[in-house]
DNA sequence: GGGATACTATGACAAATGTCAGGTTTTGGA
DNA sequence: TCCAAAACCTGACATTTGTCATAGTATCCC
């Protein structure tokens, strides 16, 4: 079960690929592999993180609690993503909670290994920087989407996002199954509104459902809806 | 008028302070000082940037056009901030427009100087990384605010933000004067709604106005409103 | 100074969205 | 297997917000 980072394929998807052999060895020696059950937190808003989490399997939601008691899901992270980087880099407590949406397998990497490499290996630092630049761009897009699109448009967009990023199962349902509440927290709306729009989309033949599973039926119309037609 | 980066105080506020003397010298030799008039763009969404802009004076709005034809202002950048970093780092065209809200004085620094230093000076890279980590955190906060707060709450927050970040003039008005439209684009609402809420706040004695200038009268109540009381 | 243009303001209305209240169904654990 | 809890769903209603229309006001440029 336990394995060496040097041989880990996951690494190819994130900034760790810019580490040297020796650095990876150090990471591998200090890392701790953990399993996290669905619904359990990797960390919570306000925690001081002593390291980062590299996702090997499963999906985590990154969310932030707002004053009115609702969570806003800012990002869904899956295989290959590294969580907690920002907190470790800026040496602040984290502003997001990370909760498992699936059963997960993650590697915890102590911050010393990361900070060490950040100071010595410019390639690694630059690689992390590039990733963060990308995340920031995505965040800007989310801001514009949320503020300028209707709930319906954002719902349509969310389904397409789930399809593109997590794919479909053999029966044509979205591979990542979220609760209605989670969906509403991604979109930034009330759970009832999310449910209502799901019903509406179903009636219009845009999606089909089975229990909490949702499948996309008419991708094109969903896309048009996102664009505002 | 023209001056050397080595002697520039502005630099202390941004990542350029992590540059070595030689690196700064190179930057200084290659930089171009520009003045940008109110309303003119530094760059526009989709442009490929050949460098970054270091703000010496004035304020710039960073905005993104949405499908429905409205701009969303994502950030207001003033003295000391470096614009266009993300685009240069990720080597993509920029996803935001930067337009002067004031008359501005900026230094354009060609990307070669930046990229060069990024690859050679881990301290500089790390410093840029820290800044970006901070920006990303702020962006997450904006996402949560926009999606979970009412327009009224966001308006109140915007005024407090302007007060905290740009201060007040001698008569107690916010030092940065934005048009009603710009305010609505910061908050993410219709201009009419913004105007209506300004009227309402005025009636309730939370703010006072004179022309387009706005002053905060009851900071405490505004704060309570943001928190949801 | 005067006219065009942009900005500010307000009312009336429609549409979108949230809230509350009440059901039904599904799920997970004893 | 069965029960309780959680999740899902729907209706009714209030509130928020956007849109359209229209008018006043400031500003800029010739």
């Amino acid at each position: 079960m336990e394995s060496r980072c040097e041989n880990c394929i996951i690494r190819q998807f994130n900034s760790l690929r810019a580490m040297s052999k020796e650095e990876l060895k150090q990471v591998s020696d200090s890392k701790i592999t953990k399993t996290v059950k669905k619904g359990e937190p990797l960390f919570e808003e306000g925690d001081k993180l002593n390291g980062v989490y590299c996702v090997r399997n499963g999906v985590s939601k990154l969310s932030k609690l707002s004053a009115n008691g609702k969570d806003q899901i800012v990002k869904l992270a899956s295989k290959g993503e590294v969580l907690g980087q920002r907190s470790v880099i800026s040496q602040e407590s984290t502003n997001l909670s990370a909760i498992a949406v699936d059963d997960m397998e993650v590697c915890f990497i102590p911050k010393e290994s990361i900070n060490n490499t950040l100071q010595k290996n410019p390639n690694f630092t630059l690689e992390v920087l590039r990733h963060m630049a990308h995340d920031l761009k995505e965040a800007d897009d989310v801001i514009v989407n949320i503020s300028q699109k209707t709930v319906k448009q954002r719902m349509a967009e969310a389904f397409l996002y789930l399809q593109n990023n997590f794919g479909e199962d053999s029966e044509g349902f979205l591979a990542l199954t979220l609760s209605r509440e989670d969906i509403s927290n991604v979109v930034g709306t009330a759970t009832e509104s999310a449910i209502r729009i799901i019903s509406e989309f179903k009636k219009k033949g845009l999606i089909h459902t089975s229990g909490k599973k949702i499948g996309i039926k008419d991708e094109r119309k969903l896309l048009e809806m996102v664009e505002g037609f």
Side-chain angles (χ1 to χ4, degrees), chain A residues 44-95:
Chain A
E44 302 204 69
E45 207 176 326
D47 286 357
K48 296 223 176 233
L49 300 187
N50 292 314
V52 301
Y53 296 83
C54 179
V55 179
R56 291 184 53 149
N57 256 310
V59 178
S60 169
K61 57 178 175 183
L62 293 171
S63 65
K64 188 166 158 45
L65 197 64
S66 69
N68 65 17
K70 274 188 193 159
D71 274 324
Q72 172 68 35
I73 297 179
V74 167
K75 189 182 165 81
L76 291 165
S78 58
K79 189 194 279 190
E81 303 221 42
V82 179
L83 308 181
Q85 281 192 97
R86 183 164 71 262
S87 172
V88 166
I89 287 165
S90 59
Q91 297 158 325
E92 300 166 326
S93 54
T94 177
N95 61 327

Side-chain angles (χ1 to χ4, degrees), chain A residues 149-150 152-153 156 200-201 204 206 219-229:
Chain A
K149 288 186 178 156
T150 65
K152 227 174 272 185
Q153 287 176 306
E200 188 188 324
F201 282 6
K204 288 190 183 163
L206 305 178
E219 186 174 340
R220 184 174 175 155
K221 274 203 185 146
L222 283 174
L223 263 171
E224 283 174 358
M225 177 171 285
V226 173
E227 299 302 328
F229 297 124

Side-chain angles (χ1 to χ4, degrees), chain A residues 76 101 146 157 162 165 169 176-177 181 216 226 229:
Chain A
L76 291 165
V101 170
I146 287 199
E157 194 160 45
L162 291 173
N165 287 274
D169 65 16
L176 180 65
T177 302
E181 190 181 1
I216 290 180
V226 173
F229 297 124

Side-chain angles (χ1 to χ4, degrees), chain A residues 204-217:
Chain A
K204 288 190 183 163
L206 305 178
I207 61 175
H208 56 117
T209 69
S210 164
K212 47 177 62 176
K213 283 188 291 183
I214 292 175
I216 290 180
K217 235 173 152 181

